[in-house]
Amino acid sequence: MKERVLRELSSTEWLREFQKKLHAKAKAEPRFRFYSLYDKTYRTDVLAEAYRKAKANGGTSGVDGETFDDIEKKGTDIYLAELQLEMQERRYVPKPVRRVYIPKLNGKQRPLGIPTIRDRIVQTAFLLTLEPIFEADFADSSYGFRAGKSAHDAVREIYKYLNWGCVEVYDVDLEKYFDRVDHGKLMKLVARRISDAQILHVIKQWLSCGYVEEGQHRQSTQGTPQGGVISPLLANIYLNPVDQAFKKERLGNISKGSIHLVRYADDMVILAQKNLEKGIALLKQYIGRLGLRLNEEKTRWLKLIIGNSVDFLGFRFHSVRSRQNCARLILVYPSPRSQERLRVMVRKYIHHSIPLRVKDQVENLNRYLRGWMGYFRLGHGSAMFQKLAHFVNLRVRHVIWRRRGRRGYGFSKLTSQYIYGQLGLFYDYHVAPLSP
């Protein structure tokens, strides 16, 4: 047991050192194209780490129906050894993804592609090798799915620019971004850094393997499926020319209007003190080159004067006047849509028809509330959180009282000690400051 732990530590140290070297080389030589990488992706230690990460991320099975339990019944070492040989002999061919749909708040559905576990392992192995290289090329304005960066960092950046006076805002919505990615253009962008033919071949296979929906296999000629392990990296590679254009033009200089781009995957916003039209023109130029289009109905150009607001990543940035000195203030809190989503989920988790004890329903709800508050507590939502806490409290009381065959909320009988003590209902609604 001790020898195995030491062996795993040694493998992890090698991988980290290898990633550091790749990143340093890419940073030092922006035009260098990396070769002879494919054999690193099927190293025993790399595949073992890829399997560990894939399992930690969980998820259901793909089109082959294979689960992690199936793999472990067979023996993880045996499974990975077979996959390693398949990759080494270049017999690996990805299977199409299984397409499912996730309901959206507006009643529409969002497609999600679920690769097989086998493909998720190989994609993770590729990600471990390729991400350090492309990370060296990505701009600071990009925050989505990057190591050391988060949605909160993007929110803080927007808050900072708004307080700098960059109140001219262009709220961008790309029309069906993940469906419109041009495979040829994406592969050219990848090939700027990667010359290993087998790496490029496998990535191209992932892009073109298609999806299975209602038992029918449909081929992909463009787009990248949401849900694939490698998809966020490819999405960032495809939009990196937009980020680099803003960086190259130095639009952030005050003399040019202090124009700034903040991007999280395909969500982006441009903020400026003045001359916002320059930033808009540059954006349209580059997304046009990439074969993308703006959703004109959802894309907005506005000025964040007193009373106006803009939503980004589920947060609302709202401009108000200070009661103390009449100065302009920017308040940040969960958007009305995010709040409504919470209410919908509370009703889903706490309901009189669910065949669970209320205490068990509360435990399930608590997991959701912890995650929701972990994301949304950033900013100035204290008053709003109290209203939501009151709503949750009433919902729990109503279900308890209805199960007892009564109407109302049972305030005289159901004490706070019972609700928050015995049932253990979540109550941590404190806010977190926006400053780093």
Side-chain angles (χ1 to χ4, degrees), residues 354-381:
I354 297 176
L356 289 174
R357 296 182 307 160
V358 175
K359 185 174 178 62
D360 294 331
Q361 293 186 40
V362 166
E363 287 178 2
N364 292 335
L365 174 63
N366 283 348
R367 283 191 286 272
Y368 177 78
L369 290 176
R370 288 190 191 101
W372 194 90
M373 281 301 301
Y375 182 76
F376 283 111
R377 71 169 73 251
L378 186 71
H380 313 99

Side-chain angles (χ1 to χ4, degrees), residues 169-399:
V169 179
Y170 195 59
D171 183 15
V172 181
D173 188 278
L174 294 179
E175 188 177 88
K176 297 181 179 179
Y177 168 67
F178 287 95
D179 295 333
R180 295 190 184 279
V181 171
D182 184 291
H183 291 176
K185 291 176 180 177
L186 174 57
M187 291 307 301
K188 285 181 181 178
L189 290 170
V190 175
R192 287 182 181 179
R193 274 303 202 175
I194 308 299
S195 63
D196 188 313
Q198 188 62 17
I199 290 278
L200 297 174
H201 174 67
V202 173
I203 293 175
K204 194 170 183 179
Q205 284 184 310
W206 284 328
L207 292 173
S208 60
C209 67
Y211 60 92
V212 172
E213 183 178 17
E214 297 178 349
Q216 297 292 319
H217 180 204
R218 294 178 171 85
Q219 207 65 36
S220 302
T221 56
Q222 65 176 16
T224 176
Q226 291 177 267
V229 178
I230 202 77
S231 294
L233 176 63
L234 297 179
N236 278 331
I237 292 171
Y238 199 68
L239 286 173
N240 189 47
V242 177
D243 305 331
Q244 295 300 331
F246 276 78
K247 183 178 178 181
K248 183 180 178 181
E249 293 295 322
R250 300 180 181 274
L251 295 180
N253 293 348
I254 294 177
S255 61
K256 293 189 177 183
S258 193
I259 306 168
H260 306 273
L261 173 71
V262 177
R263 182 175 70 81
Y264 190 95
D266 61 320
D267 292 317
M268 62 185 84
V269 64
I270 305 174
L271 307 101
Q273 289 183 346
K274 59 181 181 179
N275 301 331
L276 179 61
E277 62 277 3
K278 290 183 179 179
I280 296 173
L282 189 63
L283 173 74
K284 288 183 175 180
Q285 176 187 346
Y286 275 83
I287 65 170
R289 289 182 184 180
L290 294 170
L292 302 173
R293 291 204 301 256
L294 292 176
N295 184 331
E296 298 293 348
E297 291 183 3
K298 294 183 178 179
T299 297
R300 296 193 303 153
W301 183 349
L302 70 150
K303 191 165 185 176
L304 214 64
I305 57 175
I306 304 299
N308 280 0
S309 60
V310 63
D311 295 346
F312 190 71
L313 299 180
F315 287 88
R316 170 153 291 187
F317 299 81
H318 186 55
S319 180
V320 299
R321 192 181 302 280
S322 169
R323 294 179 180 178
Q324 296 179 340
N325 55 15
C326 294
R328 182 180 61 86
L329 295 177
I330 302 296
L331 299 182
V332 181
Y333 51 86
S335 69
R337 187 175 180 181
S338 299
Q339 295 176 46
E340 181 56 28
R341 176 65 176 169
L342 174 70
R343 294 187 184 95
V344 168
M345 294 304 291
V346 170
R347 295 185 189 102
K348 176 182 175 181
Y349 281 110
I350 305 294
H351 199 278
H352 65 87
S353 65
I354 297 176
L356 289 174
R357 296 182 307 160
V358 175
K359 185 174 178 62
D360 294 331
Q361 293 186 40
V362 166
E363 287 178 2
N364 292 335
L365 174 63
N366 283 348
R367 283 191 286 272
Y368 177 78
L369 290 176
R370 288 190 191 101
W372 194 90
M373 281 301 301
Y375 182 76
F376 283 111
R377 71 169 73 251
L378 186 71
H380 313 99
S382 184
M384 182 272 297
F385 291 150
Q386 293 308 311
K387 292 179 181 178
L388 290 177
H390 183 62
F391 169 79
V392 174
N393 184 292
L394 290 181
R395 182 69 185 176
V396 172
R397 288 175 176 276
H398 176 69
V399 170

Side-chain angles (χ1 to χ4, degrees), residues 147-160:
K149 292 204 169 193
S150 68
H152 283 180
D153 294 325
V155 169
R156 289 188 178 98
E157 194 74 351
I158 293 172
Y159 180 68
K160 179 185 76 176

Side-chain angles (χ1 to χ4, degrees), residues 51 54-55 58-59 66-73 117 120:
Y51 178 81
K55 185 179 179 183
E66 188 173 54
T67 66
F68 286 106
D69 286 341
D70 295 333
I71 292 171
E72 291 179 3
K73 283 177 184 176
I117 291 176
R120 297 204 299 260

